[in-house]
């Protein structure tokens, strides 16, 4: 049963214990049964559970308890019985022998025993059996799929019904429903809120759902159960639209995506164009139409699932993107033009999968959102009106930006919006959410994995909003022991619970939304908390990465561990060293002559201007509604704005008059306005996220470049920061990073546990140090008279050092699975090759094509435009929306080739080739300086950082009377500086 229904998978998706005919036949074949599969299942279950004429589950329960005491990697011994209970649920309504809602008589018929006996025994064990099935799948972290057995109603019967109600063929069509009604991937929405939209979908002419599911939907008792299945599918949906109407490929769609940059160098906004299309289709030959009518190459890069995006927005005039008609086509299909219409209000919702705000039809409840709003249209101050509306129904703490780098003139950005209710009155449909009652788990540090889990170091918030009741409750249950741990209560229809205050341990939890005084949950979500103390199941399979120096490229990229490497670096530890003559070059001063940097000379691309009568200019939507020909009114009437494409869904029933409204209010039927005044404001959590980011990496052990980027983007989602994040942790010695030729992270692994002894006698904790191991080391240090200190950092994870121990006492620290490394920075530096060897080892390619080229001036520390690549040096090349960096030696220039390289490495290689160096030593300040933007590459940076345990900081260096913005590496002695500059200049 497990091999058929729950096979091991690469990507976790919801899995149902639903034995359709083909699957049941496959189970029978695996079991060696050549008769009728349905009869075979009944026979197998009866032989175990029926004793005489008595139905007994005690024996199966004992086997299950024995299974629970083991490792639980094997399937639980209850799958066949649970499959039979699902078969009984599937039979409901299939024959006339019993009532369509009768469940126990059908189960009794399959077992061949009286129905009364079945009900008594089944209700005693059912919830434990289904809970342990869910727990087994949870413990495997999605390796065999994600659990789906939940019952919001009819607690015992609802469990098997949740598996059998919607067949796989119908579930495959749910993404069409999500896309059609503006539901975002990963959205958590209460089943009750989905019912009216499912009703409208089922009533539509082009709905592809089967007749059987339509028949089930006609029963009111089944509607919320079907909506529960849709809710589970939506929560795990990755945004891929596999098929459209009648099985045709889903049409590509253009949209916008924004990312906020806060505090890393400066504050700004990045706006990209997105393309939603199947990942299998090529997006490399796309073109965009400019206002001149010319079609210009446009590069889309894969973001996640079927979403592709352009690079940073510096190549497009963003105001024209927002206010004009964006037209994009494939170069090989010029007649197929995609359009993105202008909008006066652009709602964007945070998407965990792409770690950015993605354009949606409207805002959503309880999650982080952003609005781009045109300041004025036709004399109306739209931005002020929208901000005032948001203030009445959003959690305090959102920010209105009137001016910001990357924000075009005439537009306002409203950031950190968490909507907790629908506006009482508004003419802007973009501000009205789809749902009204909703529970959401959001915020904190989400760990990238096959299943949704959060770091217990920075756990998420529980957010609930209810417009049908004044009182809202959230209940937290330990999924393993099924015990209620906490319950919170809020008034005014809104509640926020920051779990960082609850000190929850690692584990699996169930979060329930309860309305008023009801004991039946309206919505349930799973919450998984993990830390480095509970490693990911795939931790042991992560390849070991070290920096082997057999090839000089080991100085800038890690690779799989190789026993042939006589010299290598692993974390803070270096094994072996090179022999190199070190002149006293640190006493020489470099004469830099920096100049003010200028922006690239290529003007931004303008796209089409809007019609002066369109809503982007007038501020009023022109809705085109379908013609009414009589007959039954649809539940929703869809109107589409002629100019901006906004879809507004209007109720298809008459508005109640004042008398009926008053009656509804007296009976409590009217929806209340949610009160947001008492909610805690949206807060900043940068430092907590930094620490949880490193803890999440320790939990995972290693992974792809996408996983470390996903973690970085939760601190700052911009491309600048996500590319710098691995470099920061690599320089601190916490991770090993394997890079491609362009310096992009391909794989990473957490470094082993090291104690790096610094020149000042302190001992730095570097690499893999989970909380329990840190606490144990602190206790040992204290017993020897030392102190373990934790120092908070705003630009990186907290620093942990042991002070007060020296000499023989220091050697007494326990070093099981820990490496004690004296002079860590100097040892790494002595293992590195000269930069010239590294330059020779880089792989070469033919000169790339470009639309704009700039060459790095190593004297003026700036980029200068050039028309060719005929001279040696470092180059920044643009082609379309793509930026490339390359280095060309004198031989490369003659051979018309170049070496792709990361930007910092290319600059230092160019200086080395020119006989100069982008570093200087100040003996009085005991510091090495490099110009800002010329960070030391790879392990050269790690060696200097481990001399002090400090990241480089901003500083000024005076050269020839001019102050130069630099990065300062502190606590560097002359001997170490001599060695570094020798490596950079030899």
């Amino acid at each position: 049963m497990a091999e058929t229904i729950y096979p091991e998978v690469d990507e976790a998706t919801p899995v149902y214990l639903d034995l359709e005919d083909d699957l049941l036949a496959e189970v029978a074949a695996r079991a060696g049964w050549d008769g009728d599969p349905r009869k075979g299942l009944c026979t197998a279950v009866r032989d175990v559970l029926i004793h005489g004429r008595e139905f007994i589950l005690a024996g199966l329960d004992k086997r299950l308890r024995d299974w629970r005491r083991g490792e639980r990697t094997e399937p639980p011994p209850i799958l066949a019985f649970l499959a039979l209970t699902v078969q009984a649920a599937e039979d409901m309504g299939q024959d006339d022998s019993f009532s369509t809602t009768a469940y126990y008589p059908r189960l009794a018929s399959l077992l061949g025993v009286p129905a009364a006996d079945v009900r008594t025994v089944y209700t005693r064990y059912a919830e434990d059996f289904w809970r342990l099935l869910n727990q087994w799948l949870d413990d495997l972290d999605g390796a065999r799929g994600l659990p789906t057995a939940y019952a919001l109603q009819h607690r015992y019967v609802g469990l098997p019904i949740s598996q059998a109600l919607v067949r796989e063929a119908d579930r495959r069509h749910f993404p069409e429903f999500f896309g059609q009604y503006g539901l975002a991937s990963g959205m958590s929405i209460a089943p009750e809120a989905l019912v009216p939209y499912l009703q409208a979908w089922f009533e539509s002419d082009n709905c592809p759902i089967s007749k059987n599911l339509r028949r089930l939907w006609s029963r009111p008792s089944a509607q919320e159960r079907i909506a529960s299945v849709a809710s589970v599918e939506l929560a795990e949906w990755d945004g891929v639209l596999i098929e459209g109407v009648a099985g045709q490929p889903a049409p590509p769609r253009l949209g916008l995506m924004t990312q906020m940059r806060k505090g890393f160098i400066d504050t700004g906004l990045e706006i990209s164009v997105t393309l939603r299309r199947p990942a299998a289709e090529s997006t490399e030959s796309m073109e965009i139409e400019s206002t001149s009518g010319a079609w210009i190459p446009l590069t889309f890069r894969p973001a996640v699932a079927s979403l592709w995006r352009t690079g940073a927005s510096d190549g497009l005039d963003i105001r024209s993107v927002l206010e004009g008609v964006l037209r994009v086509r494939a170069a090989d299909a010029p007649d197929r033009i995609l359009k993105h219409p202008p909008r006066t209000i652009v709602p964007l919702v945070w998407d965990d999968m792409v770690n950015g705000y993605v354009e949606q039809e409207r805002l959503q409840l309880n999650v982080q959102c952003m609005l781009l709003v045109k300041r004025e249209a036709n004399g109306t101050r739209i931005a002020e009106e929208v901000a005032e509306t948001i203030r009445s129904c959003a959690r305090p703490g959102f920010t209105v930006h009137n001016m910001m780098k990357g924000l075009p003139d005439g537009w306002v950005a409203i950031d950190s919006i968490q909507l907790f209710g629908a506006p009482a009155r508004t003419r802007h449909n973009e501000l009205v959410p789809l749902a009204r009652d909703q529970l959401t788990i959001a915020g904190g540090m989400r760990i990238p994995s096959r299943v949704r889990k959060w770091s217990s170091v920075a756990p998420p918030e529980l957010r609930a909003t209810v417009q049908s009741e004044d009182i809202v409750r959230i209940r937290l249950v330990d999924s393993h022991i099924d015990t209620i741990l906490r319950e919170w209560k809020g008034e005014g229809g809104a509640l926020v619970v920051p779990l960082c205050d609850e000190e929850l341990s690692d584990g699996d939890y169930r979060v329930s939304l309860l309305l008023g005084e009801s004991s039946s949950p309206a919505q349930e979500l799973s919450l998984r908390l993990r830390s480095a103390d509970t490693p990911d199941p795939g931790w042991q399979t992560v390849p070991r990465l070290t920096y082997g120096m057999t090839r000089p490229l080991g100085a800038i990229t890690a690779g799989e561990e190789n026993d042939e490497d006589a010299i290598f670096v692993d974390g803070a530890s270096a094994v072996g060293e090179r022999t190199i003559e070190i002149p006293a070059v640190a006493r020489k001063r470099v004469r830099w002559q920096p100049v003010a940097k200028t922006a690239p000379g290529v003007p931004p691309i303008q796209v089409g201007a809007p019609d002066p009568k369109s809503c982007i200019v007038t501020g009023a939507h022109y809705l085109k509604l379908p013609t009414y020909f009589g007959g039954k009114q649809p539940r929703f009437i869809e109107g589409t704005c002629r100019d901006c494409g906004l879809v507004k869904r209007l109720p298809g029933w008459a508005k109640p008059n004042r008398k009926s409204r008053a009656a509804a209010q007296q009976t409590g039927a009217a929806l209340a306005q949610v009160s947001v005044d008492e909610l805690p404001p949206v807060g900043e959590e940068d430092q907590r996220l930094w620490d949880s980011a490193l803890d999440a990496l320790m939990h995972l052990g290693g992974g792809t470049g996408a996983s470390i980027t996903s973690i970085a983007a939760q601190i700052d989602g911009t491309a600048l920061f996500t590319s710098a994040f691995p470099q920061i942790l690599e320089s601190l010695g916490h991770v090993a990073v394997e890079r491609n030729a362009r310096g992009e992270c391909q794989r990473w692994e957490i470094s082993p546990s090291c104690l790096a002894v610094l020149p000042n006698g302190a001992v730095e904790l570097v690499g893999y140090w989970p909380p329990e191991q840190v606490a144990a080391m602190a206790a040992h240090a204290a017993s020897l008279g030392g102190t373990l200190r934790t120092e908070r950092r705003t630009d990186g994870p907290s620093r942990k050092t042991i002070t007060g121990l020296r000499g023989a006492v220091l050697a007494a620290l326990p070093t099981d699975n820990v490496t004690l490394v004296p002079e860590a920075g100097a040892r790494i530096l002595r293992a590195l090759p000269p930069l010239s060897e590294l330059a020779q080892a880089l792989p070469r390619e033919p000169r790339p094509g470009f639309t704009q080229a700039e060459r790095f001036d190593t004297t003026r520390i700036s980029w200068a435009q050039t028309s060719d690549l005929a001279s040696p040096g470092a180059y920044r090349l643009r082609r379309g929306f793509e930026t490339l960096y390359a280095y060309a030696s004198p031989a490369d220039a003659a051979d018309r080739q170049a070496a792709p390289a990361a930007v910092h490495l290319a600059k230092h290689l160019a200086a080395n080739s020119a006989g100069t160096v982008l570093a200087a030593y100040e003996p009085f300040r005991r510091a090495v300086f490099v110009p800002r933007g010329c960070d030391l590459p790879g392990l050269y940076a790690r060696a200097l950082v481990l001399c002090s345990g400090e990241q480089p900081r901003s500083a000024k260096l005076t050269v020839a009377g001019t102050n130069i913005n630099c990065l300062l590496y502190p606590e560097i002695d002359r001997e170490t500086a001599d060695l570094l500059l020798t490596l950079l200049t030899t």
Side-chain angles (χ1 to χ4, degrees):
M1 189 75 69
E3 293 303 318
T4 305
I5 305 299
Y6 303 107
E8 293 191 9
V9 293
D10 293 328
E11 295 186 8
T13 55
V15 60
Y16 298 81
L17 186 53
D18 181 13
L19 288 179
E20 299 189 27
D21 292 342
D22 57 337
L23 292 177
L24 187 54
E26 186 177 342
V27 174
R30 288 179 183 270
W33 177 273
D34 56 4
D36 179 77
R38 180 183 170 98
K39 291 181 179 179
L41 176 62
C42 294
T43 300
V45 174
R46 286 172 183 168
D47 287 347
V48 175
L49 304 181
I50 307 301
H51 301 271
R53 289 282 296 171
E54 189 176 1
F55 173 49
I56 300 175
L57 284 176
L60 186 59
D61 183 56
K62 182 179 182 303
R63 289 173 55 190
L64 187 60
R65 290 198 303 272
D66 293 340
W67 172 83
R68 291 180 66 183
R69 286 191 287 268
E71 295 183 0
R72 295 192 295 191
T73 54
E74 294 298 316
I78 51 176
L79 295 184
F81 169 65
L82 294 182
L84 193 68
T85 67
V86 175
Q87 191 71 60
E90 188 177 317
D91 290 344
M92 294 172 66
Q94 300 294 329
D95 57 64
D96 298 327
S97 304
F98 306 100
S99 165
T100 56
T101 59
Y103 174 76
Y104 295 107
R106 287 181 168 81
L107 180 57
S109 176
L110 294 176
L111 291 169
V113 294
D117 296 344
V118 168
R119 179 167 189 155
T120 302
V121 176
Y122 174 77
T123 55
R124 185 186 308 162
Y125 295 99
E127 287 184 313
D128 278 344
F129 283 9
W130 284 105
R131 178 173 57 83
L132 288 172
L133 171 59
N134 288 346
Q135 185 179 314
W136 173 61
L137 294 173
D138 269 334
D139 289 344
L140 294 174
D141 269 14
R144 289 180 179 261
L146 302 175
T148 56
Y150 303 105
L152 299 182
Q153 293 182 339
H154 308 287
R155 52 189 292 192
Y156 303 111
V157 178
L159 290 162
I161 288 178
S162 71
Q163 304 295 287
L165 204 58
V166 183
R167 310 309 297 267
E168 181 183 2
D170 287 322
R171 292 196 299 269
R172 284 202 301 265
H173 289 293
F174 276 142
E176 299 175 46
F177 161 66
F178 303 149
Q180 182 176 338
Y181 285 87
L183 300 169
S185 59
M187 184 179 181
S188 297
I189 187 169
E192 181 184 38
L194 284 177
V195 169
Y197 297 97
L198 284 168
Q199 178 72 43
W201 188 47
F202 284 149
E203 291 176 352
S204 63
D205 295 334
N206 58 2
C207 180
I209 290 302
S210 66
K211 292 181 179 179
N212 182 57
L213 188 59
R214 288 176 185 267
R215 179 175 53 80
L216 289 173
W217 182 263
S218 64
R219 305 174 192 162
S221 61
Q223 291 182 356
E224 193 159 342
R225 298 175 188 172
I226 295 173
S228 298
V229 176
S231 178
V232 171
E233 292 290 317
L234 175 61
E236 303 300 336
W237 180 44
D238 61 3
V240 175
L241 297 173
I242 300 174
E243 293 181 349
V245 178
Q248 297 298 316
R253 292 180 298 165
L254 287 175
L256 299 178
M257 173 180 170
T258 65
Q259 290 178 312
M260 289 287 295
R261 181 174 61 251
K262 296 181 178 180
F264 187 73
I265 297 181
D266 58 6
T267 299
L269 183 69
E270 289 185 0
I271 302 178
S272 305
V273 179
T274 63
L275 176 62
R276 180 79 71 177
R277 69 187 305 177
E281 294 187 24
S282 172
T283 61
E284 296 179 355
S285 57
M286 303 299 291
E287 297 175 330
I288 186 171
E289 186 182 31
S290 67
T291 51
S292 65
W295 290 90
I296 302 172
L298 178 65
T299 300
F300 284 93
R301 300 180 181 90
V304 66
S306 58
L307 186 72
W308 298 66
R309 57 169 293 190
T310 61
S313 55
D314 54 359
L316 280 172
D317 179 79
I318 295 303
R319 181 168 184 175
S320 70
V321 169
L322 294 172
E323 299 182 2
V325 179
L326 191 66
R327 290 161 56 92
V328 174
R329 72 182 186 186
D332 56 356
D335 296 334
R336 187 184 182 190
I337 298 176
L338 307 178
K339 297 181 182 180
H340 180 270
R343 304 175 71 173
T344 53
I345 302 175
V346 183
L348 302 115
V349 178
W350 180 262
D351 190 320
D352 284 323
M353 295 185 181
V354 300
N355 294 298
Y357 293 99
V358 178
E359 184 179 2
Q360 299 289 350
E361 178 185 316
R362 61 188 70 217
L363 296 182
Q364 294 178 14
L365 285 177
N366 302 355
V367 298
Q368 201 85 340
C369 299
M370 174 187 280
L371 286 171
L372 297 177
V373 188
K374 189 171 172 60
R375 184 174 282 114
E376 290 187 17
N378 200 28
T380 302
R381 295 185 176 181
I382 299 178
E384 292 183 8
E385 179 184 336
V386 168
E388 190 62 32
T389 301
I390 290 296
R391 191 169 288 109
S392 68
C393 53
R395 181 179 174 183
F398 65 87
T399 306
V400 179
H401 302 276
N402 289 291
M403 294 182 64
M404 182 193 304
K405 184 177 180 180
L407 181 66
D409 293 338
W411 285 79
V412 172
I414 308 179
D415 181 34
S416 299
I417 301 171
Q418 292 180 18
L419 206 64
F420 272 76
R425 292 181 180 178
T426 182
R427 62 191 179 95
H428 303 298
N429 201 53
E430 300 90 342
L431 309 182
V432 182
L434 288 172
R436 294 190 179 275
D437 298 345
Q438 187 163 319
L439 170 68
T440 303
I441 302 175
M445 173 58 67
R446 182 170 171 177
I447 302 175
S449 178
R450 289 182 298 190
V451 298
R452 292 190 176 193
K453 53 187 176 183
W454 280 264
S455 168
S456 57
V457 176
E461 291 181 333
L462 308 181
R463 304 170 187 163
T465 181
V466 176
Q467 289 188 259
S468 56
E469 295 279 352
D470 184 61
I471 296 176
V472 55
R473 291 152 50 219
I474 297 178
R475 178 179 293 167
L476 184 71
V477 176
D478 188 313
S479 296
H480 281 255
I481 58 177
D482 203 28
T483 301
I484 298 176
L485 301 178
R486 309 271 201 288
E487 185 170 307
W488 301 272
K489 182 177 181 180
E491 298 182 354
L495 179 61
V496 173
V497 180
L499 291 181
C500 59
D501 301 331
E502 301 299 323
E503 298 183 354
L504 295 174
S505 59
D506 294 0
D508 297 330
Y509 303 90
R510 190 169 69 251
V511 184
S512 302
L513 172 65
L514 304 168
L515 309 184
E517 300 301 327
S518 173
S519 59
S520 298
Q523 186 180 356
E524 283 192 333
L525 300 175
S526 294
L527 171 64
R528 305 173 185 89
L529 295 181
R530 299 290 188 269
S531 73
D533 288 331
T534 53
D536 185 84
W539 203 91
Q540 298 298 331
T541 63
V542 172
R544 285 284 291 119
L545 299 179
T546 60
Y547 295 85
M549 298 302 162
T550 302
R551 297 176 64 240
L553 292 181
I556 58 171
T557 178
E560 292 198 30
E561 191 174 26
N562 188 345
D563 294 336
E564 296 180 1
D565 285 324
I567 305 176
F568 65 89
V569 174
D570 195 8
S573 175
V575 176
E577 61 182 49
R578 292 170 175 263
T579 301
I580 185 170
E581 183 179 347
I582 308 174
V585 294
R587 296 171 185 162
K588 298 179 181 179
R589 294 292 301 276
V590 177
R591 300 294 180 182
W592 296 322
Q593 299 175 0
V595 296
K597 296 182 179 180
T598 57
V602 176
I605 299 172
Q606 302 268 342
V607 298
D611 185 328
K613 296 182 180 179
S614 71
C615 63
I616 194 69
V617 177
T618 65
H621 295 293
Y622 186 99
L623 291 179
K624 298 171 67 176
L625 298 172
T627 304
Y628 179 57
F629 295 103
K632 182 181 177 181
Q633 280 274 40
R635 183 173 288 266
F636 293 98
I637 302 173
E638 289 190 5
T640 305
C641 179
R642 174 192 62 188
D643 303 307
C644 74
L646 175 135
V647 177
K648 188 168 185 178
R649 295 183 174 90
L650 308 170
W653 56 86
K655 295 182 179 180
N657 56 32
R658 294 181 180 178
K659 184 176 180 179
S660 61
R661 285 180 180 175
Q665 291 175 354
Q666 291 176 1
T667 60
L671 293 175
Q673 181 72 20
V674 172
S675 175
V676 296
D677 296 336
E678 301 302 320
L679 293 177
V682 178
E684 296 289 338
E685 47 188 5
D686 292 349
Q687 177 54 46
R688 192 161 53 91
L689 287 181
W690 263 110
D691 288 344
S692 63
L694 179 56
D695 186 82
L697 295 176
M698 289 191 286
H699 166 77
L700 294 173
T704 64
S707 63
I708 197 170
T709 298
S710 176
I711 291 174
Q714 296 177 66
I715 302 173
D716 185 329
T718 59
L720 179 63
F721 180 81
T722 54
S723 63
F725 179 76
Q727 298 173 21
I728 294 172
L729 296 182
E730 182 185 40
S731 67
L732 292 168
H734 294 315
V735 297
V737 179
E738 183 181 61
R739 293 184 168 86
N740 63 13
R742 303 192 186 283
E744 299 164 333
C745 175
Q746 301 299 292
R747 291 191 299 178
W748 64 273
E749 189 214 10
I750 199 74
S751 297
S753 307
C754 291
L755 292 171
V757 183
L758 306 179
N760 62 5
V763 180
E764 187 95 13
L765 274 64
V766 177
Y768 179 69
W769 285 95
E772 289 182 358
Q773 190 171 327
V774 172
M777 182 57 68
H780 284 296
S783 68
L784 297 172
T787 303
L788 192 149
R789 302 180 183 276
T790 299
E791 303 173 56
R792 301 284 183 180
R793 293 287 187 269
T794 58
D795 57 351
S798 296
R799 183 185 177 198
K800 297 179 177 63
T801 55
I802 298 174
T803 58
L805 301 180
R806 291 180 181 273
V809 179
L810 182 61
L813 284 173
T815 55
D816 294 339
N817 300 318
V818 176
T819 304
L820 183 65
V821 188
E823 300 180 332
R827 287 192 175 193
I828 291 176
L829 206 57
R830 289 196 290 267
L832 298 181
L835 203 60
S836 56
E837 289 186 20
L838 180 57
Q840 295 173 7
L842 289 173
R844 263 57 180 183
E845 297 178 358
R847 286 181 186 173
F850 58 89
T851 55
Q852 178 195 5
E854 296 168 287
R855 185 173 179 270
F856 185 69
D857 188 325
T858 57
T859 301
R860 296 177 177 268
I861 320 298
S862 61
W863 295 99
Q865 289 190 9
T866 184
S867 59
D868 58 49
L869 311 183
S871 302
Y875 289 91
R876 180 166 65 184
L877 309 174
R878 290 186 60 87
R879 51 187 189 191
F881 288 79
E882 187 177 20
T883 301
L884 306 175
Y885 294 92
Y887 162 72
S889 68
D892 294 331
D895 296 339
R896 303 182 63 82
Q897 61 182 7
V903 55
H904 299 145
L905 176 61
K907 291 177 179 179
H908 282 279
L909 292 177
N912 179 269
S913 177
T916 184
V917 63
L918 299 178
Y921 181 62
E922 279 279 8
F924 296 107
R925 298 168 73 173
R926 288 176 52 84
V928 168
F929 292 80
V930 297
R932 177 170 287 282
C934 300
D935 310 44
L936 291 173
L939 295 187
Y940 301 95
R942 177 181 293 188
L944 261 61
V945 168
L946 288 180
C947 286
S948 64
E950 297 277 359
Q951 292 183 61
R953 60 177 182 265
S954 297
K956 299 284 187 181
L957 179 65
T958 303
V959 176
T962 302
N963 289 329
I964 305 173
N965 291 323
C966 291
L967 292 177
L968 177 153
Y969 293 85
E971 299 301 323
I972 309 299
D973 59 41
R974 184 183 295 275
E975 182 181 356
T976 301
D978 281 342
L979 176 55
L980 172 72
L981 294 175
T982 298
L983 296 177
L984 297 181
T985 56
T986 299

